[in-house]
Amino acid sequence: MTSFDPNTLETRKVHSYLLSAVAPRPIAFASTMDEEGNPNLSPFSFFNVFSANPPVLVFSPSRRVRDNTVKHTLVNVEAVREVVINVVSYDMVQQMSLSSTEYPRGVNEFEKAGFTMLASEMVKPFRVAESPVQFECKVNDIIHLGAEGGAGNLIICEVLKFHINNTVLNSDLTINQEKLDLVSRAGGSYYSRAKMGFFEVPKPLSTLGIGVDNLPEDIKHSTVLTGNDLGMLANVESLPTKAEVAAFIDDRVKRYPHLRQASRMEKHKLAQKYLSYGDVKSAWHILLSE
């Protein structure tokens, strides 16, 4: 075996080994609110359940390794000691990934990622309507594990009320794990789908994606494209130019002569096919073609 002393490694290397070896990890999709009432939404994979009586969940927004800054989530729960922890199903994984983009403070990640804000009953932060299980929590304690980049901040949350979508419940009101279809986090760009195993989701841009809120209306409200499709489309810094779209279509028409006459729905279906291959650029060219 190859052995390592964490004290002799760069923090980023320790971080990478930990995330790859301790996997897969459940995802806490944490909704918080700042003192001015601005909502924030961000995923964390340092997360688990630690008690049933009282019901307690714990997650940790770590200090950023690269520059030792802290997440908006941590700042918010220190000011407003409430949080909603939403679980993440496969149907929302691309939008969830997009929400992890480091948008400026005050930007609403619900809108950027295309999620629906649902009013909570016991706490101020909103629930994610698309999440199949939502836990409304009060923050009992915050334990700071260090002051350097990579240090965790344990947020200990007591569940005040939780909500489960009827579509994932069995007749005896137990949760059907296959219908719940949870995803979890591993190292690098890897995720794991509970009932199907590993898959990859490209990390959000280091620059800012345009967000679902800036998609053209016919795409945003498509009857074909899914939330995951929209999440992939929104994770681009800018849209292709008209010249780029025209050049792409001219090339594709050689093989698909009826492409120019395709209906909007047909183009959405074709774009969805490109997205299934991870080809976001071609999908955009199809969607923006006239």
Side-chain angles (χ1 to χ4, degrees):
M1 298 185 73
T2 302
S3 301
F4 301 94
D5 179 348
N7 294 310
T8 66
L9 297 176
E10 294 181 347
T11 301
R12 64 180 181 84
K13 292 293 291 183
V14 177
H15 185 260
S16 176
Y17 281 128
L18 288 173
L19 267 59
S20 295
V22 185
R25 302 177 304 282
I27 300 170
F29 203 16
S31 168
T32 58
M33 187 172 288
D34 67 18
E35 289 180 299
E36 287 75 44
N38 297 308
N40 181 268
L41 185 63
S42 187
F44 299 93
S45 67
F46 290 1
F47 163 61
N48 221 307
V49 56
F50 278 79
S51 173
N53 185 23
V56 172
L57 307 176
V58 175
F59 74 102
S60 176
S62 298
R63 303 181 74 92
R64 294 183 179 91
V65 173
R66 69 174 183 276
D67 58 8
N68 197 26
T69 56
V70 299
K71 306 285 182 68
H72 297 147
T73 299
L74 177 61
V75 175
N76 289 353
V77 297
E78 288 177 330
V80 179
R81 297 175 74 88
E82 296 176 343
V83 60
V84 176
I85 295 178
N86 307 273
V87 305
V88 179
S89 66
Y90 181 76
D91 287 343
M92 54 191 284
V93 65
Q94 294 285 351
Q95 290 170 274
M96 178 277 299
S97 177
L98 178 60
S99 75
S100 68
T101 301
E102 293 180 14
Y103 291 108
R105 184 166 179 77
V107 169
N108 187 341
E109 287 85 2
F110 279 90
E111 294 179 354
K112 283 294 178 185
F115 287 116
T116 305
M117 293 191 297
L118 184 62
S120 297
E121 298 179 14
M122 304 288 289
V123 297
K124 293 177 183 176
F126 293 95
R127 293 178 278 153
V128 177
E130 290 79 4
S131 171
V133 185
Q134 309 136 9
F135 298 95
E136 298 185 33
C137 306
K138 67 175 182 177
V139 175
N140 285 349
D141 199 5
I142 302 172
I143 302 174
H144 305 289
L145 301 180
E148 301 299 324
N153 300 277
L154 295 185
I155 300 177
I156 301 174
C157 311
E158 183 175 340
V159 179
L160 303 178
K161 195 167 193 176
F162 59 98
H163 313 268
I164 305 175
N165 193 301
N166 289 334
T167 61
V168 302
L169 288 175
N170 296 313
S171 58
D172 61 357
L173 298 185
T174 57
I175 291 178
N176 185 309
Q177 293 290 165
E178 291 199 2
K179 290 181 179 178
L180 189 59
D181 201 10
L182 293 179
V183 296
S184 53
R185 196 72 172 89
S189 60
Y190 280 95
Y191 288 76
S192 181
R193 189 176 181 181
K195 62 182 182 180
M196 293 187 69
F198 284 114
F199 64 98
E200 290 188 82
V201 175
K203 292 186 177 182
L205 298 173
S206 56
T207 52
L208 299 184
I210 62 173
V212 172
D213 57 330
N214 287 318
L215 297 180
E217 290 299 313
D218 72 305
I219 295 173
K220 192 189 307 183
H221 301 295
S222 172
T223 58
V224 173
L225 300 171
T226 67
N228 275 339
D229 294 332
L230 298 183
M232 295 176 71
L233 291 168
N235 188 32
V236 295
E237 187 176 6
S238 61
L239 300 183
T241 65
K242 288 186 177 180
E244 290 170 335
V245 172
F248 176 89
I249 297 301
D250 286 343
D251 178 69
R252 289 302 188 273
V253 163
K254 298 172 186 175
R255 284 178 287 171
Y256 308 106
H258 301 296
L259 181 58
R260 294 192 192 280
Q261 288 74 45
S263 66
R264 294 308 300 169
M265 181 171 288
E266 289 171 330
K267 289 180 179 179
H268 284 206
K269 289 180 178 179
L270 180 56
Q272 189 176 59
K273 189 172 183 178
Y274 277 110
L275 290 173
S276 71
Y277 304 140
D279 189 350
V280 178
K281 188 175 182 179
S282 294
W284 265 120
H285 286 144
I286 293 295
L287 291 169
L288 296 178
S289 64
E290 298 180 352

